[in-house]
Amino acid sequence: MSKEEEMLAELRKIREAVEKAPPPPPQKQNLWDEFKGFLSKYKIFGLAIAFIIGVYLGNLVQALVKDLLLPSIGLLIPGLSNLADGVVEVGTQQFAYGDFLVAFITFLIVALLVFLAVKVAKRWNVE
């Protein structure tokens, strides 16, 4: 192949490249597709499910503490009838320690359960 033929072949390639229409612009996604992409990218469903389960787990543990554990502790310690309804009066002020006690014990139990769930998830290689 001579130099002229090579140049002609190159010019044909250039002409073909120039004459081709540019690819059409990507189609804009509709709102529904954008929404599905958002949900999958940021894992919103998993976050929502975890939040809902966390709320109901907290309620379950709070009921366990308030209705079962604290009355049991009240039975074991003489002179305490129901710790959940505990109120101390100092002067004219009332301090309702029962609700705080319920919230504190509930927090400790929920924190322990979350800790154990994370340990199990790591052991099973779940991210």
Side-chain angles (χ1 to χ4, degrees), residues 36-58:
K36 288 192 302 187
F38 169 76
L39 292 179
S40 65
K41 182 177 180 182
Y42 296 107
K43 299 178 176 138
I44 299 296
F45 281 134
L47 181 63
I49 290 169
F51 177 76
I52 291 168
I53 289 175
V55 167
Y56 285 102
L57 175 65

Side-chain angles (χ1 to χ4, degrees), residues 10-78:
E10 284 296 318
L11 287 173
R12 284 187 194 112
K13 289 180 187 177
I14 292 171
R15 180 182 289 164
E16 287 174 10
V18 170
E19 289 178 352
K20 287 183 184 176
Q27 290 184 347
K28 188 173 182 179
Q29 290 182 334
N30 62 18
L31 186 63
W32 181 248
D33 290 335
E34 284 185 56
F35 181 65
K36 288 192 302 187
F38 169 76
L39 292 179
S40 65
K41 182 177 180 182
Y42 296 107
K43 299 178 176 138
I44 299 296
F45 281 134
L47 181 63
I49 290 169
F51 177 76
I52 291 168
I53 289 175
V55 167
Y56 285 102
L57 175 65
N59 289 340
L60 178 67
V61 172
Q62 186 173 5
L64 172 77
V65 169
K66 191 171 188 175
D67 298 333
L68 296 176
L69 291 180
L70 289 180
S72 300
I73 293 170
L75 287 175
L76 295 175
I77 300 173

Side-chain angles (χ1 to χ4, degrees), residues 61-117:
V61 172
Q62 186 173 5
L64 172 77
V65 169
K66 191 171 188 175
D67 298 333
L68 296 176
L69 291 180
L70 289 180
S72 300
I73 293 170
L75 287 175
L76 295 175
I77 300 173
L80 296 176
S81 58
N82 189 358
L83 291 174
D85 294 330
V87 175
V88 173
E89 290 187 24
V90 177
T92 60
Q93 299 297 319
Q94 290 186 344
F95 293 92
Y97 65 88
D99 289 336
F100 173 75
L101 192 58
V102 168
F104 181 70
I105 294 174
T106 302
F107 169 77
L108 291 177
I109 292 173
V110 169
L112 176 66
L113 291 176
V114 169
F115 172 74
L116 293 175

